[in-house]
Amino acid sequence: MSSIINNQPLTKLNIFSGKGIQMKTFHITWLTFFVCFFGWFGLAPLMPTIKEDLHLDKGQIGNIIIASVSATIIARLLIGRLCDTWGPRKTYILLLLVGAIPVMCVGLAKDYTSFLLFRLAISVIGASFVITQFHTSQMFAANIKGTANAVAGGWGNLGGGVTNMVMPLIFAAIVGFGYTSHDAWRYAMILPGVMMLVMAFFYYRFTKDTPAGNYDEINKLRAVKGKTDYSVLKDWRIWALSLAYAVCFGMEITFDNVAALHFVQEYKLSQSSAGFWAGMFGFMNIFARALGGIFADKVGKKFGMKGKGILLATVLLLEGLGLLLFAQSGSFGMAIFSMISFALFLKMANGATYAITPFINEKNGGLVAGIVGAGGNLGGMMFGFLFKSKNITYLDAFSYIGYIAIAVSVIVLITRFTKSAEVAAIQPNAALA
């Protein structure tokens, strides 16, 4: 009896349990995503130093912000397909091994151009999110899938907050050992690269593709290894979710990139203090994204997919209003208060989005997860152009993004997220009828 249970997706999420391949995979996949965030955004809190070291202007910093999320767009689409065909375990291991190289080698950059290229290469790591969400979806049943995805994604995203807090401390420690700031930020990035290699080993040793085993072990059971059904791309719900993720996760990675620099420039904080307060934004992932998934699952039980869509539209609206408040902050205290406010709803929107995504087309779950995830990075890339502009201040950019979030909330509200997810999985165009 226990062996049958162990080979099935779990119907409950006990975050304090490490028993069974499902919970082992759950904990390893969110921790791996956490480490990937360290590598992906480890440079962000060090940008005040890097700006001075490489003599960067606002336009160049804007290009670096854009590069930091650009390659992830294509990578997430490819990674989603690999998850469907190759399996999340092998896919994650490959991404970790490849991604660790530019993370550890970015210190070799000597000027703006070389740094930009390294930053572009590092952005591939952002595709780790798609694998985490796909892998978690394999391990949990439909009734708890939204919550499990939100917790795994939120705890992984927590890496964006912790890296803002920790990397300036690592930098300061290296300087304390007698190295110059020119060398310290370069040596600091070796640590996240090594951490990624360690997680590649853990992923290889302790996870499985599904509760029943790896794809190559259950090959006869994997119908998805056939051709991908690209007719799913006709389903407007996918694009509505992509827009939603563009303004919630896209804003999250944008803020992770610019927050420390913004606090240094706007409020004259030290690099360490700015990193701490920027880290508070990311640190809210310890619970806020999970709240989005938990509420979505509860709403879904009572009101179905339509209810989940209304919830997502609501938190996107509140995110937009919070961003407008942040942009109008007249003091540092008000800025922190409004940051916490919009961060709560932004991260709940992240969780609510991926409480819907796995049910759009379950036969092509990796592809759908990849498209929606790529939407998040596309949003981050487009927002980067606002922060690059010499005619737009950072506060203006936050205002514009707030208005965009409000507009997207309306689009999500009028999108027909139906209760018949199973029918939609068979007939991708059902939602358009």
Side-chain angles (χ1 to χ4, degrees):
M1 184 69 176
S2 61
S3 62
I4 296 176
I5 296 174
N6 288 338
N7 287 335
Q8 299 298 317
L10 299 181
T11 57
K12 293 182 179 180
L13 173 63
N14 180 3
I15 60 174
F16 300 106
S17 172
K19 294 181 180 180
I21 192 61
Q22 299 94 331
M23 290 309 301
K24 285 181 181 177
T25 298
F26 170 80
H27 285 299
I28 290 174
T29 197
W30 78 253
L31 182 58
T32 303
F33 185 37
F34 179 97
V35 169
C36 285
F37 244 98
F38 244 87
W40 191 9
F41 288 102
L43 291 165
L46 305 181
M47 281 306 295
T49 295
I50 297 171
K51 176 185 176 183
E52 297 300 323
D53 187 29
L54 300 182
H55 309 291
L56 305 175
D57 59 31
K58 185 182 179 184
Q60 290 173 327
I61 292 174
N63 288 334
I64 290 167
I65 292 171
I66 294 168
S68 72
V69 298
S70 296
T72 313
I73 299 170
I74 303 300
R76 287 192 172 192
L77 297 173
L78 297 175
I79 288 295
R81 177 57 179 151
L82 283 177
C83 284
D84 281 329
T85 58
W86 204 19
R89 178 172 167 267
K90 290 180 180 178
T91 304
Y92 226 145
I93 292 169
L94 175 65
L95 183 64
L96 289 164
L97 294 177
V98 172
I101 297 172
V103 172
M104 291 189 291
C105 294
V106 67
L108 299 175
K110 300 299 182 184
D111 52 27
Y112 160 69
T113 301
S114 56
F115 185 82
L116 181 71
L117 293 175
F118 272 113
R119 200 70 185 93
L120 181 66
I122 289 173
S123 70
V124 172
I125 301 170
S128 56
F129 169 76
V130 174
I131 313 174
T132 290
Q133 296 291 278
F134 182 90
H135 212 171
T136 304
S137 294
Q138 297 290 308
M139 297 295 166
F140 292 90
N143 69 302
I144 198 68
K145 197 172 290 189
T147 299
N149 276 343
V151 174
W155 288 359
N157 283 358
L158 182 62
V162 174
T163 191
N164 266 309
M165 294 178 172
V166 171
M167 288 302 286
L169 300 179
I170 295 173
F171 169 86
I174 295 173
V175 171
F177 281 110
Y179 293 92
T180 65
S181 60
H182 169 85
D183 294 323
W185 72 263
R186 301 166 190 276
Y187 292 142
M189 286 301 293
I190 295 175
L191 177 61
V194 171
M195 291 165 63
M196 291 172 65
L197 296 178
V198 171
M199 293 313 302
F201 169 77
F202 274 88
Y203 226 91
Y204 170 79
R205 181 68 178 81
F206 298 110
T207 70
K208 296 283 188 180
D209 287 322
T210 74
N214 293 320
Y215 278 18
D216 53 1
E217 297 169 347
I218 57 171
N219 184 50
K220 293 182 180 180
L221 302 178
R222 296 300 301 181
V224 297
K225 286 199 172 184
K227 293 184 178 179
T228 299
D229 181 11
Y230 286 103
S231 65
V232 69
L233 300 180
K234 298 178 182 179
D235 190 340
W236 167 249
R237 296 175 301 170
I238 295 175
W239 304 110
L241 290 173
S242 295
L243 282 174
Y245 212 54
V247 296
C248 55
F249 185 73
M251 182 57 214
E252 176 166 2
I253 57 179
T254 298
F255 199 79
D256 282 336
N257 258 328
V258 304
L261 189 59
H262 172 65
F263 288 144
V264 168
Q265 294 178 163
E266 188 73 19
Y267 300 106
K268 311 304 179 185
L269 301 186
S270 67
Q271 181 170 273
S272 295
S273 295
F276 172 81
W277 290 110
M280 289 299 295
F281 170 83
F283 203 79
M284 291 185 67
N285 275 305
I286 199 169
F287 70 92
R289 183 166 183 146
L291 281 180
I294 292 169
F295 286 160
D297 279 345
K298 290 185 179 297
V299 168
K301 288 178 183 178
K302 195 167 185 179
F303 302 104
M305 290 276 281
K306 182 178 180 181
K308 288 185 177 183
I310 294 173
L311 173 66
L312 176 57
T314 301
V315 290
L316 286 172
L317 172 63
L318 293 173
E319 175 201 341
L321 294 175
L323 274 164
L324 293 178
L325 181 62
F326 179 78
Q328 299 299 319
S329 298
S331 66
F332 178 67
M334 180 56 70
I336 296 302
F337 171 79
S338 54
M339 179 190 77
I340 297 299
S341 299
F342 85 74
L344 172 64
F345 299 116
L346 177 154
K347 294 168 195 300
M348 287 183 66
N350 286 339
T353 301
Y354 269 84
I356 299 173
T357 300
F359 299 100
I360 296 298
N361 188 298
E362 296 179 73
K363 290 185 178 180
N364 295 280
L367 176 63
V368 175
I371 293 171
V372 176
N377 281 85
L378 181 61
M381 183 186 77
M382 297 307 294
F383 296 155
F385 284 101
L386 294 176
F387 291 93
K388 173 187 175 181
S389 173
K390 295 180 180 179
N391 300 319
I392 299 175
T393 67
Y394 277 17
L395 293 177
D396 289 336
F398 290 128
S399 290
Y400 295 152
I401 297 170
Y403 288 123
I404 294 170
I406 293 171
V408 171
S409 74
V410 175
I411 294 174
V412 171
L413 183 64
I414 63 177
T415 299
R416 290 185 60 190
F417 293 104
T418 62
K419 292 183 179 180
S420 55
E422 295 80 10
V423 175
I426 299 173
Q427 298 175 316
N429 297 329
L432 300 177

